[in-house]
Amino acid sequence: MKVLKFGGTSVGSAQRMKEVANLICNGERNLVVLSAMAGTTNTLVEISDYFYKKNPNGANEIINKLETKYKREIDELFTTEEYKQKTLQAVKAIFDHIRSFSKDLFTLFEEKIVLAQGELISTVMMNNYLNEIGVRSVLLPALEYMRTDKNAEPDLQFTKEHLTKMLEPYSGVNLFITQGYICRNAYGEVDNLQRGGSDYTASLIGAAINADEIQIWTDIDGMHNNDPRYVENTTPVRQLHFEEAAELAYFGAKILHPTCIQPAKLGNIPVRLLNTMEPSAPGTLISNDTEADKIKAVAAKDGITAIKIKSSRMLLAHGFMRKVFEIFETYQTPVDMVTTSEVGVSVTIDNTKKLQEILDELKKLGTVSVDEDMVIICVVGDLEWENIGFESKAVSALKDVPVRMISYGGSNYNISLLVRKEDKQKALQALSRNLFDN
Ligand code: ADP
Ligand code: ASP
Ligand code: MG
């Protein structure tokens, strides 16, 4: 069985849904993961914001507008009155449920329920549509098998057991539809796998059922060699190693959710990135294979804060690094980049919730300075240290850009460079010119 995930744009209209239906009925056995229609989850966030602010009229206005949009899409999607009415009723029940939250206390708990509704709508629409056109498909409720544990990490064992059991009665069925993104937490409450988390759902399912392949269908023909939102003439990368894809996803390549590679890699299940708008394009294959001697792609991660700790006593002192990192650990703040010299260490973080507390502690160890609004630029490829010339090519591309930190040699796959936010686009473009233009 293959797992096929379609993102928000891919199911963004009735017409798109019909195209997806066409793609998934390909004679193979497929488990299909759907996102909410494009824009829906953002709108649900906005609705929740009105509920938090105790403004039911504000919420209602947006709810009504969203419901009207869905009525139009349903009208266009279905041809028979039977399926149209059936779907309208199901969707109306969902919108009534959302409206009901205007009455009581609104907390994080209720917000999670509201945010879950987008995927519940898109999947009921798709499943009903497939049934209308005579395709046998089964809707698998994600809230019954996708679960996180007490550390908010996916409980893969639970998913494995429950999903296998849910599939058992349907050995003759070739098509299953399910919701991305949504899950329950360890206490049984509705939760989610973070924004963009439908990719994660697909890869967790892939690992749970030991799928032959995980396909992430989106609005672009695979992982490009640079961020197409900032650089012109980027081109798709045909093949990536799991580690390369993980680095790119973590460092800002939006096409893949950062957590999505891990389960696929553990199960050694190939991941293919494909384009719904151009289904015959080869896309990108992510697997355990490496293409030697090649820089593959560049990505950028925004919202980075750099912290430098200088200490005259670091000279020959053991234990200094441990003390520094213990502070970040105490405040549960992950460190991304690290560079060191004899007199100091620089690190970057992207979560600044505990910045003040961290700085207060660090100041006991040395002189501390902070640079905010920085960007990590990540160059990914076969960067084993014995391959000569690649790191110098990346660094020389940035000859006109002030670089705050450079990190190389931490893995065989990446060089990270820290620059100012205002230099991001210039840096990405210069790297493309130096690394990929013939
Ligand atoms: P979906 O809704 O299908 O999950 P996303 O919007 O999350 O789609 O991801 C696809 C988008 O990722 C593309 O439209 C593109 O703008 C953006 N993107 C950023 N970096 C890259 C990259 N290196 N390669 C391809 N797409 C990228
Ligand atoms: N619908 C969710 C979001 O917009 C999950 C996803 O699309 O992956 O974040
Ligand atoms: Mg996405």
Side-chain angles (χ1 to χ4, degrees):
M1 185 140 67
K2 287 185 180 165
V3 180
L4 280 61
K5 177 258 171 178
F6 292 85
T9 322
S10 302
V11 293
S13 65
Q15 187 50 38
R16 287 267 140 79
M17 284 208 175
K18 289 181 189 178
E19 285 159 24
V20 169
N22 213 13
L23 282 169
I24 60 184
C25 299
N26 59 359
E28 297 186 34
R29 199 160 189 242
N30 294 327
L31 199 163
V32 177
V33 177
L34 299 184
S35 287
M37 284 176 117
T40 299
T41 311
N42 283 344
T43 308
L44 295 171
V45 170
E46 213 183 328
I47 291 166
S48 301
D49 197 37
Y50 279 105
F51 283 147
Y52 273 122
K53 297 192 164 96
K54 301 197 191 326
N55 178 354
N57 294 337
N60 256 324
E61 204 172 299
I62 306 178
I63 296 170
N64 294 345
K65 218 165 106 190
L66 190 64
E67 189 174 13
T68 307
K69 172 192 138 79
Y70 274 101
K71 281 183 184 155
R72 258 200 326 266
E73 299 297 347
I74 290 167
D75 196 52
E76 200 187 321
L77 186 60
F78 295 92
T79 40
T80 65
E81 213 38 46
E82 183 199 346
Y83 276 96
K84 197 175 281 184
Q85 288 311 324
K86 194 171 158 181
T87 314
L88 279 171
Q89 267 171 31
V91 171
K92 181 176 182 301
I94 290 177
F95 277 98
D96 287 345
H97 187 42
I98 299 176
R99 279 191 194 90
S100 73
F101 291 105
S102 65
K103 295 192 193 87
D104 301 313
L105 187 69
F106 197 77
T107 67
L108 207 62
F109 170 76
E110 283 79 21
E111 183 184 15
K112 297 270 177 65
I113 300 176
V114 171
L115 295 189
Q117 304 308 313
E119 273 70 12
L120 292 170
I121 300 177
S122 63
T123 47
V124 80
M125 284 171 72
M126 179 63 84
N127 196 55
N128 285 355
Y129 175 67
L130 288 164
N131 294 345
E132 183 186 52
I133 61 171
V135 176
R136 178 144 190 238
S137 64
V138 170
L139 191 58
L140 300 170
L143 296 181
E144 286 178 21
Y145 67 82
M146 192 56 72
R147 209 182 152 116
T148 52
D149 61 20
K150 290 198 168 120
N151 302 315
E153 292 294 330
D155 186 342
L156 194 56
Q157 198 48 39
F158 183 96
T159 299
K160 217 177 217 164
E161 278 167 26
H162 286 75
L163 193 52
T164 311
K165 230 180 249 147
M166 286 164 78
L167 288 168
E168 247 166 33
Y170 300 113
S171 57
V173 174
N174 281 336
L175 199 52
F176 300 90
I177 309 292
T178 195
Q179 300 86 19
Y181 176 61
I182 66 175
C183 64
R184 286 188 191 273
N185 63 21
Y187 312 98
E189 298 156 348
V190 174
D191 208 330
N192 61 61
L193 299 173
Q194 311 288 327
R195 295 303 307 274
S198 294
D199 299 344
Y200 201 14
T201 303
S203 125
L204 289 166
I205 292 176
I209 64 168
N210 195 20
D212 302 319
E213 186 170 293
I214 298 160
Q215 300 183 349
I216 308 287
W217 289 81
T218 180
D219 56 2
I220 187 163
D221 52 345
M223 176 75 78
H224 276 223
N225 59 7
N226 207 327
D227 194 324
R229 296 167 298 177
Y230 297 95
V231 180
E232 281 175 18
N233 302 323
T234 57
T235 52
V237 180
R238 295 287 167 233
Q239 205 279 329
L240 284 171
H241 188 270
F242 283 122
E243 303 278 346
E244 294 172 330
E247 300 269 9
L248 288 167
Y250 184 72
F251 287 107
K254 195 192 166 219
I255 185 170
L256 266 190
H257 193 264
T259 50
C260 143
I261 290 300
Q262 186 72 355
K265 186 185 155 201
L266 285 178
N268 196 14
I269 301 166
V271 178
R272 214 180 273 279
L273 309 180
L274 293 159
N275 188 357
T276 324
M277 325 290 161
E278 208 192 324
S280 59
T284 302
L285 178 65
I286 304 165
S287 67
N288 255 324
D289 294 331
T290 323
E291 250 179 314
D293 289 337
K294 233 175 136 176
I295 292 194
K296 297 290 188 54
V298 177
K301 185 176 177 181
D302 301 332
I304 303 294
T305 299
I307 305 168
K308 183 191 284 172
I309 308 106
K310 254 176 38 183
S311 165
S312 48
R313 279 173 295 156
M314 187 176 166
L315 191 72
L316 298 179
H318 54 81
F320 178 78
M321 291 290 214
R322 178 177 54 75
K323 286 180 200 146
V324 168
F325 283 106
E326 264 173 7
I327 293 169
F328 289 92
E329 192 185 343
T330 303
Y331 292 101
Q332 299 191 337
T333 301
V335 167
D336 277 330
M337 270 177 88
V338 184
T339 54
T340 63
S341 85
E342 187 49 40
V343 291
V345 52
S346 278
V347 301
T348 70
I349 58 172
D350 68 351
N351 178 351
T352 51
K353 260 192 218 142
K354 299 282 182 200
L355 181 61
Q356 200 47 55
E357 289 90 332
I358 290 170
L359 295 179
D360 288 341
E361 294 287 328
L362 288 174
K363 280 175 185 166
K364 295 174 188 165
L365 301 180
T367 316
V368 180
S369 60
V370 177
D371 294 293
E372 282 166 338
D373 288 328
M374 307 295 286
V375 174
I376 296 177
I377 308 250
C378 173
V379 177
V380 165
D382 178 22
L383 290 159
E384 216 179 316
W385 70 276
E386 281 161 320
N387 292 348
I388 51 173
F390 286 147
E391 67 281 11
S392 67
K393 247 179 151 177
V395 172
S396 70
L398 300 189
K399 63 183 192 304
D400 298 322
V401 175
V403 177
R404 165 73 179 77
M405 287 165 70
I406 300 176
S407 174
Y408 171 65
S411 84
N412 286 343
Y413 298 100
N414 128 317
I415 308 172
S416 301
L417 305 123
L418 190 71
V419 304
R420 280 195 213 108
K421 183 171 123 195
E422 51 268 39
D423 293 323
K424 167 179 167 176
Q425 185 154 15
K426 185 177 170 188
L428 289 177
Q429 288 169 344
L431 282 163
S432 258
R433 273 197 306 277
N434 236 39
L435 300 174
F436 308 125
D437 281 3
N438 300 320

